[in-house]
Amino acid sequence: MDDLLAAGVTDWGIAGGSLRNPNARDALAPQDCLYAVAVRSGAGTEIRVIGSILGMEVGNENAERLIARMADPATRIVSLTITEKGYCHTPQTGELDERHPDIVHDLKNPHAPRSAAGFIVEALARRKDTGASPFTVLCCDNLSANGRTVQRIVARFATLRSKDLGRWIEDKATFPCTMVDRIVPETTDADRAAVSSALGMTDAWPVITEPFTQWIVEDRFAAGRPDFSAAGVQLVSDVMPFEHMKLRLLNASHSALAYLGYLAGYETIAATMANQNFAAFAARVMEDAAVTLQMPEGTDLATYQASLLQRFANPALHHRTWQIAMDGSQKLPQRLLGTIRDRLQRGLPIHTHALAVAGWMRYVTARDEQGKIIDVRDPIAGKLAAIAHEAGPVADRLATALLAVDSMFGPLGADPRMTSAVIHALTQLYRHGARHAISLIRQR
Ligand code: CS2
């Protein structure tokens, strides 16, 4: 949006909304919602001030104001970047989790919602009542078939409120799939200080990122859109192949590096990648996934994979393994398990991906290889810790118990080829540690 504004090709702006955390608003409001984007690479840092945000609402402080903003016919796109767990769905099936506490709450209190689905449906209900057209829901998160998945979740939630509303949303609103790619590590105090000093003024909310950026978006907008293509967005009729490509190549190897790198004692992805064995392992995860992809003609996967390895190695980005390791229960299905399922179907070996899954298992026991406590962040962290406690650090017991977590693994968890590959990988991890287990894969 800022590119489009700078080029003078649009007069759209962004009204920001945060559902449960006032931090962005508290930081941005006093600085007129201006903030810097610092693009970092080995070649140095480029800083630019972004001016496309007009204001911010915080849902859990004042739900009514956020709903009113979304229900205003002037709002034509509601884009979502709320992480995987923000969708309150079952990751393995992609269906709304009707027992999720926020969903239960929102169905009882539809006018004062907490969840993203609750806000969207309440705003759409008001638009329907006033004869306004619906907005486009533009999911920018790493879910598989992200637009379709969010459509299913929102339509189901709406139908639970009223069949008529559900039907109206299904018929009239649009939910384009997107593939949005840019690595953005969490901003640290050191980043805030560095950017503020380069700017010569305090910026309480800078964003640190890499030079690479890619947006691919399905061109299905219910209420119009700015000319995104003028900013390099690729508008296509089918995003799904590119989504799969990103999830199974970038995000899968990212997660694999995060769990195994963390266990090996690496703080960042770049530090993990500086170990050749880990870099080779990441490349192997990508190769094993690439054969499951069906890409449009002309897609150069080899170049894409090589560029991913370079991006991960960017020494100027301090992207913590711990950050990417977060919320594995929400991430593994679309990143690793789909590839495993497809490879099994074709009779191909799965030991590379099984090692990544085993890395996650060892990680969620909340003890690292030195016995130090890991701060595991995950919506089902409590359940995972209880399973790990019950099983103890015994590879076959732990693997079998975690593979039975249905919301993640579904029927795959009971497939004997999966069970034996994961038990084998976890045994290697316990016996040799992550560094050595990685190099064993390399030799296979
Ligand atoms: C990362 C992603 O935190 C994570 O799980 O894998 O946020 C990743 O950096 C982005 O998808 C890159 O586009």
Side-chain angles (χ1 to χ4, degrees):
M1 285 305 300
D2 199 65
D3 282 347
L4 296 180
L5 290 163
V9 299
T10 192
D11 57 358
W12 289 53
I14 298 173
S18 176
L19 294 189
R20 54 189 71 220
N21 186 329
N23 294 351
R25 191 272 323 271
D26 291 350
L28 286 171
Q31 48 192 61
D32 294 336
C33 292
L34 299 170
Y35 64 98
V37 163
V39 176
R40 283 193 188 150
S41 69
T45 302
E46 264 182 49
I47 296 186
R48 158 169 169 188
V49 174
I50 303 296
S52 43
I53 297 188
L54 304 170
M56 287 277 296
E57 304 296 344
V58 179
N60 65 347
E61 266 176 24
N62 195 332
E64 192 47 45
R65 278 178 56 151
L66 179 54
I67 295 166
R69 169 64 76 196
M70 292 166 71
D72 183 335
T75 300
R76 289 183 280 170
I77 299 174
V78 171
S79 84
L80 300 169
T81 307
I82 55 177
T83 82
E84 295 85 348
K85 62 176 175 283
Y87 294 91
C88 304
H89 70 310
T90 304
Q92 192 252 325
T93 59
E95 303 287 339
L96 179 72
D97 176 2
E98 293 174 27
R99 285 174 312 177
H100 191 293
D102 289 350
I103 297 302
V104 173
H105 171 274
D106 289 1
L107 287 169
K108 278 203 200 111
N109 306 277
H111 309 305
R114 285 183 188 153
S115 70
F119 275 96
I120 289 170
V121 171
E122 177 60 11
L124 286 173
R126 292 192 193 180
R127 289 171 85 113
K128 176 172 181 288
D129 289 347
T130 57
S133 63
F135 44 69
T136 300
V137 179
L138 190 67
C139 173
C140 299
D141 284 298
N142 291 316
L143 309 177
S144 67
N146 63 1
R148 309 271 187 291
T149 301
V150 176
Q151 177 168 35
R152 201 178 320 115
I153 291 165
V154 167
R156 176 68 191 156
F157 182 91
T159 304
L160 291 171
R161 278 185 58 173
S162 121
K163 285 213 170 71
D164 189 35
L165 177 61
R167 215 169 303 122
W168 185 77
I169 291 177
E170 293 224 48
D171 290 350
K172 300 254 165 51
T174 57
F175 299 76
C177 283
T178 68
M179 186 269 242
V180 178
D181 185 9
R182 199 170 210 188
I183 294 176
V184 184
E186 196 179 4
T187 303
T188 63
D189 287 340
D191 295 327
R192 267 181 280 275
V195 170
S196 298
S197 121
L199 283 173
M201 65 183 103
T202 304
D203 183 354
W205 204 256
V207 172
I208 313 298
T209 189
E210 60 174 342
F212 183 92
T213 175
Q214 185 177 31
W215 283 65
I216 310 183
V217 177
E218 268 171 18
D219 199 2
R220 296 193 293 118
F221 286 78
R225 59 164 172 81
D227 179 12
F228 288 131
S229 62
V233 176
Q234 293 161 257
L235 291 150
V236 300
S237 57
D238 184 12
V239 167
M240 233 100 96
F242 300 100
E243 261 192 325
H244 270 115
M245 175 187 82
K246 186 202 168 196
L247 288 167
R248 292 188 178 192
L249 299 182
L250 188 159
N251 297 112
S253 52
H254 230 189
S255 288
L257 287 170
Y259 296 116
L260 295 161
Y262 185 99
L263 291 171
Y266 293 117
E267 205 200 330
T268 65
I269 291 293
T272 313
M273 286 291 289
N275 177 325
Q276 275 186 13
N277 287 335
F278 276 88
F281 178 72
R284 184 69 185 270
V285 172
M286 293 180 203
E287 278 158 33
D288 283 9
V291 300
T292 70
L293 298 173
Q294 276 149 7
M295 301 305 296
E297 219 170 297
T299 313
D300 182 354
L301 283 182
T303 304
Y304 181 70
Q305 285 162 234
S307 82
L308 291 179
L309 294 171
Q310 257 172 17
R311 290 169 62 196
F312 290 169
N314 182 346
L317 277 193
H318 198 75
H319 202 183
R320 293 175 70 193
T321 46
W322 178 81
Q323 187 190 342
I324 300 162
M326 228 179 265
D327 297 340
S329 69
Q330 313 289 305
K331 292 175 175 172
L332 260 53
Q334 63 275 28
R335 295 182 180 206
L336 297 168
L337 306 181
T339 296
I340 292 183
R341 225 174 276 121
D342 286 353
R343 286 184 66 89
L344 286 176
Q345 210 167 33
R346 295 180 197 189
L348 296 169
I350 58 165
H351 47 261
T352 313
H353 282 66
L355 181 56
V357 173
W360 168 79
M361 291 180 164
R362 176 104 205 236
Y363 183 90
V364 299
T365 63
R367 289 272 170 193
D368 73 9
E369 291 179 358
Q370 275 68 49
K372 281 208 302 269
I373 289 182
I374 304 174
D375 178 8
V376 178
R377 302 282 175 93
D378 194 292
I380 59 164
K383 174 175 175 169
L384 298 172
I387 292 174
H389 181 75
E390 168 89 23
V394 185
D396 55 346
R397 285 173 53 120
L398 181 61
T400 313
L402 286 171
L403 284 170
V405 176
D406 196 51
S407 66
M408 292 180 66
F409 295 99
L412 178 66
D415 185 315
R417 295 167 296 175
M418 176 71 172
T419 328
S420 74
V422 174
I423 291 176
H424 175 77
L426 192 55
T427 306
Q428 302 281 54
L429 274 183
Y430 273 114
R431 197 172 287 160
H432 306 292
R435 281 173 200 245
H436 193 60
I438 292 276
S439 56
L440 292 175
I441 287 274
R442 223 189 147 176
Q443 286 154 20
R444 276 178 87 143

